[in-house]
Structures are given as structure tokens and as C-alpha cells.
PDB file of all heavy atoms in Angstrom:
ATOM      1  N   TYR G  14      -0.423 -10.905  -2.084  1.00 97.00           N
ATOM      2  CA  TYR G  14       0.731 -11.003  -1.176  1.00 97.00           C
ATOM      3  C   TYR G  14       1.577  -9.726  -1.210  1.00 97.00           C
ATOM      4  O   TYR G  14       2.048  -9.252  -0.167  1.00 97.00           O
ATOM      5  CB  TYR G  14       1.580 -12.217  -1.537  1.00 97.00           C
ATOM      6  CG  TYR G  14       1.000 -13.523  -1.056  1.00 97.00           C
ATOM      7  CD1 TYR G  14       0.306 -14.371  -1.918  1.00 97.00           C
ATOM      8  CD2 TYR G  14       1.132 -13.917   0.274  1.00 97.00           C
ATOM      9  CE1 TYR G  14      -0.244 -15.569  -1.473  1.00 97.00           C
ATOM     10  CE2 TYR G  14       0.590 -15.110   0.731  1.00 97.00           C
ATOM     11  CZ  TYR G  14      -0.100 -15.927  -0.146  1.00 97.00           C
ATOM     12  OH  TYR G  14      -0.645 -17.107   0.308  1.00 97.00           O
ATOM     13  N   ASN G  15       1.772  -9.155  -2.407  1.00 97.00           N
ATOM     14  CA  ASN G  15       2.546  -7.916  -2.505  1.00 97.00           C
ATOM     15  C   ASN G  15       1.875  -6.797  -1.731  1.00 97.00           C
ATOM     16  O   ASN G  15       2.539  -6.008  -1.033  1.00 97.00           O
ATOM     17  CB  ASN G  15       2.704  -7.517  -3.976  1.00 97.00           C
ATOM     18  CG  ASN G  15       3.528  -8.498  -4.776  1.00 97.00           C
ATOM     19  OD1 ASN G  15       4.340  -9.234  -4.217  1.00 97.00           O
ATOM     20  ND2 ASN G  15       3.317  -8.532  -6.082  1.00 97.00           N
ATOM     21  N   VAL G  16       0.552  -6.709  -1.826  1.00 98.00           N
ATOM     22  CA  VAL G  16      -0.200  -5.682  -1.102  1.00 98.00           C
ATOM     23  C   VAL G  16      -0.080  -5.887   0.405  1.00 98.00           C
ATOM     24  O   VAL G  16       0.118  -4.923   1.165  1.00 98.00           O
ATOM     25  CB  VAL G  16      -1.678  -5.695  -1.548  1.00 98.00           C
ATOM     26  CG1 VAL G  16      -2.545  -4.888  -0.584  1.00 98.00           C
ATOM     27  CG2 VAL G  16      -1.809  -5.146  -2.959  1.00 98.00           C
ATOM     28  N   LEU G  17      -0.196  -7.138   0.854  1.00 98.00           N
ATOM     29  CA  LEU G  17      -0.060  -7.423   2.286  1.00 98.00           C
ATOM     30  C   LEU G  17       1.313  -7.013   2.800  1.00 98.00           C
ATOM     31  O   LEU G  17       1.437  -6.429   3.891  1.00 98.00           O
ATOM     32  CB  LEU G  17      -0.286  -8.917   2.540  1.00 98.00           C
ATOM     33  CG  LEU G  17      -1.724  -9.430   2.404  1.00 98.00           C
ATOM     34  CD1 LEU G  17      -1.740 -10.957   2.425  1.00 98.00           C
ATOM     35  CD2 LEU G  17      -2.613  -8.873   3.511  1.00 98.00           C
ATOM     36  N   ALA G  18       2.355  -7.312   2.014  1.00 98.00           N
ATOM     37  CA  ALA G  18       3.720  -6.947   2.419  1.00 98.00           C
ATOM     38  C   ALA G  18       3.872  -5.437   2.524  1.00 98.00           C
ATOM     39  O   ALA G  18       4.413  -4.911   3.506  1.00 98.00           O
ATOM     40  CB  ALA G  18       4.724  -7.515   1.417  1.00 98.00           C
ATOM     41  N   ALA G  19       3.378  -4.728   1.509  1.00 98.00           N
ATOM     42  CA  ALA G  19       3.482  -3.270   1.501  1.00 98.00           C
ATOM     43  C   ALA G  19       2.682  -2.659   2.649  1.00 98.00           C
ATOM     44  O   ALA G  19       3.162  -1.764   3.356  1.00 98.00           O
ATOM     45  CB  ALA G  19       3.003  -2.721   0.158  1.00 98.00           C
ATOM     46  N   ALA G  20       1.462  -3.148   2.853  1.00 97.00           N
ATOM     47  CA  ALA G  20       0.627  -2.619   3.928  1.00 97.00           C
ATOM     48  C   ALA G  20       1.255  -2.877   5.293  1.00 97.00           C
ATOM     49  O   ALA G  20       1.245  -2.003   6.173  1.00 97.00           O
ATOM     50  CB  ALA G  20      -0.771  -3.239   3.860  1.00 97.00           C
ATOM     51  N   GLY G  21       1.808  -4.075   5.475  1.00 96.00           N
ATOM     52  CA  GLY G  21       2.460  -4.396   6.743  1.00 96.00           C
ATOM     53  C   GLY G  21       3.612  -3.468   7.042  1.00 96.00           C
ATOM     54  O   GLY G  21       3.766  -2.970   8.173  1.00 96.00           O
ATOM     55  N   ALA G  22       4.435  -3.202   6.023  1.00 97.00           N
ATOM     56  CA  ALA G  22       5.579  -2.297   6.218  1.00 97.00           C
ATOM     57  C   ALA G  22       5.115  -0.890   6.538  1.00 97.00           C
ATOM     58  O   ALA G  22       5.693  -0.204   7.400  1.00 97.00           O
ATOM     59  CB  ALA G  22       6.455  -2.299   4.965  1.00 97.00           C
ATOM     60  N   MET G  23       4.077  -0.463   5.874  1.00 97.00           N
ATOM     61  CA  MET G  23       3.598   0.908   6.091  1.00 97.00           C
ATOM     62  C   MET G  23       2.918   1.073   7.448  1.00 97.00           C
ATOM     63  O   MET G  23       3.041   2.112   8.097  1.00 97.00           O
ATOM     64  CB  MET G  23       2.659   1.316   4.960  1.00 97.00           C
ATOM     65  CG  MET G  23       3.348   1.412   3.600  1.00 97.00           C
ATOM     66  SD  MET G  23       4.618   2.734   3.523  1.00 97.00           S
ATOM     67  CE  MET G  23       6.083   1.896   4.172  1.00 97.00           C
ATOM     68  N   LEU G  24       2.195   0.071   7.887  1.00 95.00           N
ATOM     69  CA  LEU G  24       1.637   0.123   9.239  1.00 95.00           C
ATOM     70  C   LEU G  24       2.753   0.144  10.278  1.00 95.00           C
ATOM     71  O   LEU G  24       2.676   0.869  11.277  1.00 95.00           O
ATOM     72  CB  LEU G  24       0.711  -1.067   9.468  1.00 95.00           C
ATOM     73  CG  LEU G  24      -0.617  -1.026   8.696  1.00 95.00           C
ATOM     74  CD1 LEU G  24      -1.335  -2.370   8.781  1.00 95.00           C
ATOM     75  CD2 LEU G  24      -1.527   0.091   9.219  1.00 95.00           C
ATOM     76  N   ALA G  25       3.798  -0.649  10.030  1.00 95.00           N
ATOM     77  CA  ALA G  25       4.953  -0.657  10.939  1.00 95.00           C
ATOM     78  C   ALA G  25       5.636   0.710  10.983  1.00 95.00           C
ATOM     79  O   ALA G  25       6.160   1.124  12.023  1.00 95.00           O
ATOM     80  CB  ALA G  25       5.949  -1.725  10.508  1.00 95.00           C
ATOM     81  N   GLU G  26       5.605   1.413   9.841  1.00 96.00           N
ATOM     82  CA  GLU G  26       6.226   2.738   9.757  1.00 96.00           C
ATOM     83  C   GLU G  26       5.263   3.856  10.152  1.00 96.00           C
ATOM     84  O   GLU G  26       5.544   5.032   9.927  1.00 96.00           O
ATOM     85  CB  GLU G  26       6.754   2.972   8.343  1.00 96.00           C
ATOM     86  CG  GLU G  26       7.955   2.099   7.967  1.00 96.00           C
ATOM     87  CD  GLU G  26       9.223   2.493   8.707  1.00 96.00           C
ATOM     88  OE1 GLU G  26       9.263   3.615   9.276  1.00 96.00           O
ATOM     89  OE2 GLU G  26      10.157   1.671   8.731  1.00 96.00           O
ATOM     90  N   LYS G  27       4.099   3.459  10.718  1.00 94.00           N
ATOM     91  CA  LYS G  27       3.123   4.407  11.285  1.00 94.00           C
ATOM     92  C   LYS G  27       2.463   5.298  10.231  1.00 94.00           C
ATOM     93  O   LYS G  27       2.059   6.435  10.529  1.00 94.00           O
ATOM     94  CB  LYS G  27       3.775   5.286  12.365  1.00 94.00           C
ATOM     95  CG  LYS G  27       4.613   4.527  13.381  1.00 94.00           C
ATOM     96  CD  LYS G  27       3.837   3.436  14.083  1.00 94.00           C
ATOM     97  CE  LYS G  27       4.709   2.721  15.128  1.00 94.00           C
ATOM     98  NZ  LYS G  27       4.043   1.536  15.700  1.00 94.00           N
ATOM     99  N   ILE G  28       2.309   4.796   9.010  1.00 95.00           N
ATOM    100  CA  ILE G  28       1.567   5.530   7.992  1.00 95.00           C
ATOM    101  C   ILE G  28       0.070   5.312   8.252  1.00 95.00           C
ATOM    102  O   ILE G  28      -0.366   4.179   8.467  1.00 95.00           O
ATOM    103  CB  ILE G  28       1.941   5.044   6.578  1.00 95.00           C
ATOM    104  CG1 ILE G  28       3.451   5.146   6.361  1.00 95.00           C
ATOM    105  CG2 ILE G  28       1.177   5.846   5.520  1.00 95.00           C
ATOM    106  CD1 ILE G  28       4.024   6.530   6.507  1.00 95.00           C
ATOM    107  N   PRO G  29      -0.743   6.353   8.223  1.00 94.00           N
ATOM    108  CA  PRO G  29      -2.179   6.207   8.519  1.00 94.00           C
ATOM    109  C   PRO G  29      -2.861   5.223   7.562  1.00 94.00           C
ATOM    110  O   PRO G  29      -2.606   5.243   6.357  1.00 94.00           O
ATOM    111  CB  PRO G  29      -2.726   7.628   8.321  1.00 94.00           C
ATOM    112  CG  PRO G  29      -1.552   8.525   8.549  1.00 94.00           C
ATOM    113  CD  PRO G  29      -0.368   7.775   8.022  1.00 94.00           C
ATOM    114  N   PRO G  30      -3.731   4.355   8.089  1.00 94.00           N
ATOM    115  CA  PRO G  30      -4.413   3.355   7.254  1.00 94.00           C
ATOM    116  C   PRO G  30      -5.177   3.942   6.077  1.00 94.00           C
ATOM    117  O   PRO G  30      -5.222   3.352   5.002  1.00 94.00           O
ATOM    118  CB  PRO G  30      -5.361   2.669   8.243  1.00 94.00           C
ATOM    119  CG  PRO G  30      -4.690   2.831   9.573  1.00 94.00           C
ATOM    120  CD  PRO G  30      -4.034   4.168   9.519  1.00 94.00           C
ATOM    121  N   ASN G  31      -5.793   5.120   6.259  1.00 95.00           N
ATOM    122  CA  ASN G  31      -6.543   5.719   5.144  1.00 95.00           C
ATOM    123  C   ASN G  31      -5.629   6.116   3.995  1.00 95.00           C
ATOM    124  O   ASN G  31      -6.012   6.049   2.814  1.00 95.00           O
ATOM    125  CB  ASN G  31      -7.353   6.928   5.635  1.00 95.00           C
ATOM    126  CG  ASN G  31      -6.466   8.062   6.138  1.00 95.00           C
ATOM    127  OD1 ASN G  31      -5.598   7.845   6.973  1.00 95.00           O
ATOM    128  ND2 ASN G  31      -6.705   9.267   5.654  1.00 95.00           N
ATOM    129  N   VAL G  32      -4.399   6.505   4.303  1.00 97.00           N
ATOM    130  CA  VAL G  32      -3.419   6.834   3.263  1.00 97.00           C
ATOM    131  C   VAL G  32      -2.988   5.562   2.532  1.00 97.00           C
ATOM    132  O   VAL G  32      -2.860   5.543   1.300  1.00 97.00           O
ATOM    133  CB  VAL G  32      -2.190   7.556   3.867  1.00 97.00           C
ATOM    134  CG1 VAL G  32      -1.116   7.790   2.804  1.00 97.00           C
ATOM    135  CG2 VAL G  32      -2.602   8.875   4.504  1.00 97.00           C
ATOM    136  N   ILE G  33      -2.765   4.502   3.296  1.00 97.00           N
ATOM    137  CA  ILE G  33      -2.386   3.211   2.708  1.00 97.00           C
ATOM    138  C   ILE G  33      -3.476   2.732   1.748  1.00 97.00           C
ATOM    139  O   ILE G  33      -3.188   2.346   0.607  1.00 97.00           O
ATOM    140  CB  ILE G  33      -2.153   2.165   3.811  1.00 97.00           C
ATOM    141  CG1 ILE G  33      -0.972   2.571   4.706  1.00 97.00           C
ATOM    142  CG2 ILE G  33      -1.903   0.784   3.205  1.00 97.00           C
ATOM    143  CD1 ILE G  33      -0.795   1.706   5.942  1.00 97.00           C
ATOM    144  N   LYS G  34      -4.719   2.786   2.201  1.00 97.00           N
ATOM    145  CA  LYS G  34      -5.851   2.333   1.381  1.00 97.00           C
ATOM    146  C   LYS G  34      -5.957   3.146   0.091  1.00 97.00           C
ATOM    147  O   LYS G  34      -6.064   2.583  -1.008  1.00 97.00           O
ATOM    148  CB  LYS G  34      -7.147   2.452   2.190  1.00 97.00           C
ATOM    149  CG  LYS G  34      -8.423   2.139   1.406  1.00 97.00           C
ATOM    150  CD  LYS G  34      -9.655   2.305   2.299  1.00 97.00           C
ATOM    151  CE  LYS G  34     -10.949   2.269   1.486  1.00 97.00           C
ATOM    152  NZ  LYS G  34     -11.198   0.946   0.880  1.00 97.00           N
ATOM    153  N   SER G  35      -5.914   4.448   0.214  1.00 97.00           N
ATOM    154  CA  SER G  35      -6.069   5.321  -0.952  1.00 97.00           C
ATOM    155  C   SER G  35      -4.947   5.088  -1.976  1.00 97.00           C
ATOM    156  O   SER G  35      -5.204   4.983  -3.181  1.00 97.00           O
ATOM    157  CB  SER G  35      -6.078   6.786  -0.513  1.00 97.00           C
ATOM    158  OG  SER G  35      -6.124   7.653  -1.628  1.00 97.00           O
ATOM    159  N   ALA G  36      -3.707   5.007  -1.494  1.00 98.00           N
ATOM    160  CA  ALA G  36      -2.569   4.828  -2.405  1.00 98.00           C
ATOM    161  C   ALA G  36      -2.618   3.482  -3.109  1.00 98.00           C
ATOM    162  O   ALA G  36      -2.349   3.377  -4.308  1.00 98.00           O
ATOM    163  CB  ALA G  36      -1.264   4.983  -1.633  1.00 98.00           C
ATOM    164  N   LEU G  37      -2.968   2.423  -2.384  1.00 98.00           N
ATOM    165  CA  LEU G  37      -3.039   1.093  -2.987  1.00 98.00           C
ATOM    166  C   LEU G  37      -4.176   1.016  -4.007  1.00 98.00           C
ATOM    167  O   LEU G  37      -4.033   0.374  -5.059  1.00 98.00           O
ATOM    168  CB  LEU G  37      -3.219   0.032  -1.912  1.00 98.00           C
ATOM    169  CG  LEU G  37      -1.986  -0.254  -1.048  1.00 98.00           C
ATOM    170  CD1 LEU G  37      -2.340  -1.194   0.104  1.00 98.00           C
ATOM    171  CD2 LEU G  37      -0.861  -0.858  -1.889  1.00 98.00           C
ATOM    172  N   GLU G  38      -5.289   1.654  -3.712  1.00 97.00           N
ATOM    173  CA  GLU G  38      -6.423   1.616  -4.642  1.00 97.00           C
ATOM    174  C   GLU G  38      -6.173   2.456  -5.889  1.00 97.00           C
ATOM    175  O   GLU G  38      -6.814   2.246  -6.921  1.00 97.00           O
ATOM    176  CB  GLU G  38      -7.698   2.051  -3.935  1.00 97.00           C
ATOM    177  CG  GLU G  38      -8.155   1.034  -2.894  1.00 97.00           C
ATOM    178  CD  GLU G  38      -9.516   1.323  -2.301  1.00 97.00           C
ATOM    179  OE1 GLU G  38      -9.872   2.523  -2.222  1.00 97.00           O
ATOM    180  OE2 GLU G  38     -10.202   0.368  -1.910  1.00 97.00           O
ATOM    181  N   ASN G  39      -5.235   3.392  -5.817  1.00 97.00           N
ATOM    182  CA  ASN G  39      -4.869   4.196  -6.985  1.00 97.00           C
ATOM    183  C   ASN G  39      -3.684   3.606  -7.751  1.00 97.00           C
ATOM    184  O   ASN G  39      -3.367   4.069  -8.850  1.00 97.00           O
ATOM    185  CB  ASN G  39      -4.521   5.636  -6.562  1.00 97.00           C
ATOM    186  CG  ASN G  39      -5.759   6.436  -6.204  1.00 97.00           C
ATOM    187  OD1 ASN G  39      -6.773   6.346  -6.888  1.00 97.00           O
ATOM    188  ND2 ASN G  39      -5.694   7.208  -5.127  1.00 97.00           N
ATOM    189  N   PHE G  40      -3.051   2.589  -7.192  1.00 97.00           N
ATOM    190  CA  PHE G  40      -1.861   1.993  -7.800  1.00 97.00           C
ATOM    191  C   PHE G  40      -2.257   1.173  -9.027  1.00 97.00           C
ATOM    192  O   PHE G  40      -3.175   0.351  -8.963  1.00 97.00           O
ATOM    193  CB  PHE G  40      -1.150   1.102  -6.771  1.00 97.00           C
ATOM    194  CG  PHE G  40       0.145   0.517  -7.252  1.00 97.00           C
ATOM    195  CD1 PHE G  40       1.322   1.239  -7.159  1.00 97.00           C
ATOM    196  CD2 PHE G  40       0.198  -0.762  -7.790  1.00 97.00           C
ATOM    197  CE1 PHE G  40       2.525   0.706  -7.599  1.00 97.00           C
ATOM    198  CE2 PHE G  40       1.393  -1.304  -8.226  1.00 97.00           C
ATOM    199  CZ  PHE G  40       2.556  -0.570  -8.129  1.00 97.00           C
ATOM    200  N   LYS G  41      -1.585   1.380 -10.152  1.00 89.00           N
ATOM    201  CA  LYS G  41      -1.952   0.697 -11.393  1.00 89.00           C
ATOM    202  C   LYS G  41      -1.104  -0.557 -11.621  1.00 89.00           C
ATOM    203  O   LYS G  41      -1.579  -1.670 -11.507  1.00 89.00           O
ATOM    204  CB  LYS G  41      -1.816   1.651 -12.572  1.00 89.00           C
ATOM    205  CG  LYS G  41      -2.764   2.861 -12.496  1.00 89.00           C
ATOM    206  CD  LYS G  41      -4.231   2.437 -12.539  1.00 89.00           C
ATOM    207  CE  LYS G  41      -5.149   3.631 -12.733  1.00 89.00           C
ATOM    208  NZ  LYS G  41      -5.174   4.568 -11.599  1.00 89.00           N
ATOM    209  N   SER G  42       0.162  -0.378 -11.941  1.00 84.00           N
ATOM    210  CA  SER G  42       1.022  -1.540 -12.223  1.00 84.00           C
ATOM    211  C   SER G  42       2.459  -1.071 -12.326  1.00 84.00           C
ATOM    212  O   SER G  42       2.745   0.125 -12.259  1.00 84.00           O
ATOM    213  CB  SER G  42       0.603  -2.233 -13.533  1.00 84.00           C
ATOM    214  OG  SER G  42       0.823  -1.374 -14.637  1.00 84.00           O
ATOM    215  N   VAL G  43       3.357  -2.017 -12.519  1.00 89.00           N
ATOM    216  CA  VAL G  43       4.772  -1.738 -12.732  1.00 89.00           C
ATOM    217  C   VAL G  43       5.123  -2.289 -14.113  1.00 89.00           C
ATOM    218  O   VAL G  43       4.633  -3.352 -14.507  1.00 89.00           O
ATOM    219  CB  VAL G  43       5.639  -2.418 -11.648  1.00 89.00           C
ATOM    220  CG1 VAL G  43       7.113  -2.165 -11.903  1.00 89.00           C
ATOM    221  CG2 VAL G  43       5.239  -1.917 -10.267  1.00 89.00           C
ATOM    222  N   HIS G  44       5.972  -1.577 -14.842  1.00 88.00           N
ATOM    223  CA  HIS G  44       6.364  -2.040 -16.167  1.00 88.00           C
ATOM    224  C   HIS G  44       6.865  -3.478 -16.117  1.00 88.00           C
ATOM    225  O   HIS G  44       7.727  -3.830 -15.315  1.00 88.00           O
ATOM    226  CB  HIS G  44       7.470  -1.146 -16.749  1.00 88.00           C
ATOM    227  CG  HIS G  44       6.973   0.196 -17.194  1.00 88.00           C
ATOM    228  ND1 HIS G  44       5.810   0.359 -17.909  1.00 88.00           N
ATOM    229  CD2 HIS G  44       7.486   1.437 -17.036  1.00 88.00           C
ATOM    230  CE1 HIS G  44       5.630   1.647 -18.167  1.00 88.00           C
ATOM    231  NE2 HIS G  44       6.629   2.322 -17.637  1.00 88.00           N
ATOM    232  N   GLY G  45       6.296  -4.298 -16.988  1.00 91.00           N
ATOM    233  CA  GLY G  45       6.783  -5.675 -17.122  1.00 91.00           C
ATOM    234  C   GLY G  45       6.297  -6.614 -16.049  1.00 91.00           C
ATOM    235  O   GLY G  45       6.750  -7.747 -15.967  1.00 91.00           O
TER     236      GLY G  45
END
């Protein structure tokens, strides 16, 4: 759900899908 929310916002902000995919696949975690 967090990924869907982030992707939706980024598509709305006209960020290229390949950038969204690459960044999400490189994302590790948040402290805690």
C-alpha cells in the first residue's frame, strides 16, 4: 500500500515511470 501511494503521487507529479521503478527497487527501509 505504501508503494502504491508513493507511485500514485509520483505519477501525478509527472515523474517518469522508469525513475519510479528504479528508486522503489533500490529503496531499503526506514528506521524503526
Side-chain angles (χ1 to χ4, degrees):
Y14 282 101
N15 295 336
V16 166
L17 288 169
M23 294 295 86
L24 289 169
E26 291 290 344
K27 313 304 182 188
I28 304 301
N31 64 308
V32 175
I33 297 171
K34 174 181 169 67
S35 175
L37 287 173
E38 291 188 330
N39 286 318
F40 184 85
K41 297 297 191 293
S42 65
V43 178
H44 286 316

